């Protein structure tokens, strides 16, 4: 087993890598508006509020809108802390009809800690990057199959954390909220590929209305 200092370094590096992946995943999901549908959390944003960057050998969007980027950075900063403490189970991005409050799409990122076999070498960064690239490509491919949302819509980010009775699972700016679940008799679920570091595994799933 690696010494404690190396374990902390591996955990911190994994938490940072997963949070970085989630940033691009969130913007890739939000990009499901496909130019006319691009929106941010809490309000609607224009495509001009984003720019294209090359990351993971893919052309991906990141926000140039300061308000949106500040919000997402704040969210992911807390998510990274939960990853470090290994107390987070899920990060969920929901796209909700502004008028009816009906959930239109629900992107779920399941997170779990992994225990490498004793004496196992750290997972190579190149292998992690390839898995992340594959997941992000899967999100983009799934977006291309979804119908355009033809109504005003909002986004929100939810986090599911463990409550073991020994610590407060809430954080500043976070509060209990609606799950925004979608009835499966009127929805389709698509599971995407997994990605993992030496410490964490993440699995993306989207549920979208098809009625």
């Amino acid at each position: 087993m690696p010494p404690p200092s190396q374990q902390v370094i591996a955990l911190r590096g994994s938490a940072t890598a997963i949070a970085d992946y989630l940033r691009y995943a969130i913007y890739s999901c939000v990009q499901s508006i496909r130019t006319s549908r691009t929106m941010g959390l809490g309000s609607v944003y224009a495509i001009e509020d984003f720019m294209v960057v090359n990351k993971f050998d893919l052309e991906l969007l990141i926000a140039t809108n300061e308000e949106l980027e500040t919000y997402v950075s704040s969210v992911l900063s807390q998510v990274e802390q939960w990853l470090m403490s290994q107390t987070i189970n899920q990060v969920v991005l929901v796209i909700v009809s502004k008028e009816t409050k009906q959930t239109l799409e629900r992107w779920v990122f399941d997170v779990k800690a992994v225990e490498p076999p004793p004496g196992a070498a750290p997972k190579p960064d190149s292998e992690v990057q390839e898995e992340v690239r594959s997941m992000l490509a899967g999100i983009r491919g799934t977006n291309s199959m979804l119908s355009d949302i033809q109504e005003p819509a909002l986004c929100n980010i939810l986090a599911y954390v463990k409550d073991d009775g020994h610590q407060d699972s809430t954080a500043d700016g976070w509060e209990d909220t609606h799950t925004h679940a979608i009835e499966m008799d009127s929805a389709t679920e698509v599971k995407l590929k997994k990605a993992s570091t030496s410490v964490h595994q993440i699995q993306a799933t989207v549920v979208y209305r098809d009625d």
Side-chain angles (χ1 to χ4, degrees), residues 29-33 37 39 93-98 101-107 143 146 149 151-156 180 182 209:
C29 295
V30 169
Q31 183 192 237
S32 66
I33 307 165
R37 291 177 56 203
M39 56 195 158
L93 173 72
V94 293
I95 300 178
V96 181
S97 167
K98 188 173 183 179
K101 310 304 181 186
Q102 187 177 61
T103 303
L104 306 174
E105 296 175 13
R106 194 172 191 272
W107 295 84
N143 282 338
L146 299 179
I149 294 176
E151 59 183 294
L154 303 175
C155 293
N156 197 12
H180 294 286
I182 300 177
R209 300 191 64 85

Side-chain angles (χ1 to χ4, degrees), residues 64-146:
T64 56
N65 180 285
E66 185 176 352
E67 179 185 29
L68 177 58
E69 176 59 22
T70 297
Y71 178 86
V72 173
S73 293
S74 176
V75 166
L76 293 180
S77 176
Q78 179 58 62
V79 167
E80 189 169 343
Q81 292 182 47
W82 282 325
L83 286 164
M84 280 287 294
S85 61
Q86 297 188 325
T87 55
I88 190 164
N89 295 318
Q90 283 184 346
V91 176
V92 180
L93 173 72
V94 293
I95 300 178
V96 181
S97 167
K98 188 173 183 179
E99 181 178 350
T100 67
K101 310 304 181 186
Q102 187 177 61
T103 303
L104 306 174
E105 296 175 13
R106 194 172 191 272
W107 295 84
V108 178
F109 301 91
D110 288 298
V111 180
K112 69 177 183 179
V114 295
E115 282 287 343
K123 190 168 185 176
D125 287 344
S126 59
E127 187 175 339
V128 175
Q129 295 278 317
E130 177 56 30
E131 290 181 0
V132 168
R133 189 201 70 78
S134 182
M135 285 188 69
L136 289 170
I139 290 174
R140 289 179 45 166
T142 301
N143 282 338
S144 69
M145 298 186 302
L146 299 179

Side-chain angles (χ1 to χ4, degrees), residues 5-211:
S5 60
Q6 290 186 17
Q7 292 178 8
V8 171
I9 292 171
L11 180 59
R12 183 179 292 115
S14 177
T16 299
I18 295 296
D20 188 47
Y21 158 72
L22 284 170
R23 178 183 304 278
Y24 290 99
I26 287 169
Y27 289 140
S28 293
C29 295
V30 169
Q31 183 192 237
S32 66
I33 307 165
R34 290 174 287 286
T35 308
S36 63
R37 291 177 56 203
T38 304
M39 56 195 158
L41 300 110
S43 58
V44 176
Y45 292 84
I47 191 63
E48 290 77 15
D49 290 312
F50 295 82
M51 67 178 290
V52 177
V53 297
N54 190 285
K55 185 77 172 180
F56 306 110
D57 291 328
L58 295 170
E59 289 190 346
L60 302 171
L61 288 185
I62 60 169
T64 56
N65 180 285
E66 185 176 352
E67 179 185 29
L68 177 58
E69 176 59 22
T70 297
Y71 178 86
V72 173
S73 293
S74 176
V75 166
L76 293 180
S77 176
Q78 179 58 62
V79 167
E80 189 169 343
Q81 292 182 47
W82 282 325
L83 286 164
M84 280 287 294
S85 61
Q86 297 188 325
T87 55
I88 190 164
N89 295 318
Q90 283 184 346
V91 176
V92 180
L93 173 72
V94 293
I95 300 178
V96 181
S97 167
K98 188 173 183 179
E99 181 178 350
T100 67
K101 310 304 181 186
Q102 187 177 61
T103 303
L104 306 174
E105 296 175 13
R106 194 172 191 272
W107 295 84
V108 178
F109 301 91
D110 288 298
V111 180
K112 69 177 183 179
V114 295
E115 282 287 343
K123 190 168 185 176
D125 287 344
S126 59
E127 187 175 339
V128 175
Q129 295 278 317
E130 177 56 30
E131 290 181 0
V132 168
R133 189 201 70 78
S134 182
M135 285 188 69
L136 289 170
I139 290 174
R140 289 179 45 166
T142 301
N143 282 338
S144 69
M145 298 186 302
L146 299 179
S147 300
D148 286 342
I149 294 176
Q150 302 293 338
E151 59 183 294
L154 303 175
C155 293
N156 197 12
I157 295 177
L158 317 177
Y160 291 80
V161 296
K162 301 173 185 176
D163 183 4
D164 59 9
H166 299 291
Q167 63 182 11
D168 184 4
S169 60
T170 62
D172 291 343
W174 293 77
E175 59 184 23
D176 291 339
T177 187
H178 193 282
T179 62
H180 294 286
I182 300 177
E183 295 283 345
M184 289 308 300
D185 59 359
S186 60
T188 296
E189 178 181 87
V190 178
K191 282 191 175 293
L192 304 177
K193 293 182 178 180
K194 299 177 183 177
S196 64
T197 65
S198 298
V199 182
H200 298 102
Q201 182 185 87
I202 188 164
Q203 166 86 62
T205 303
V206 61
V207 178
Y208 60 92
R209 300 191 64 85
D210 53 13
D211 56 359

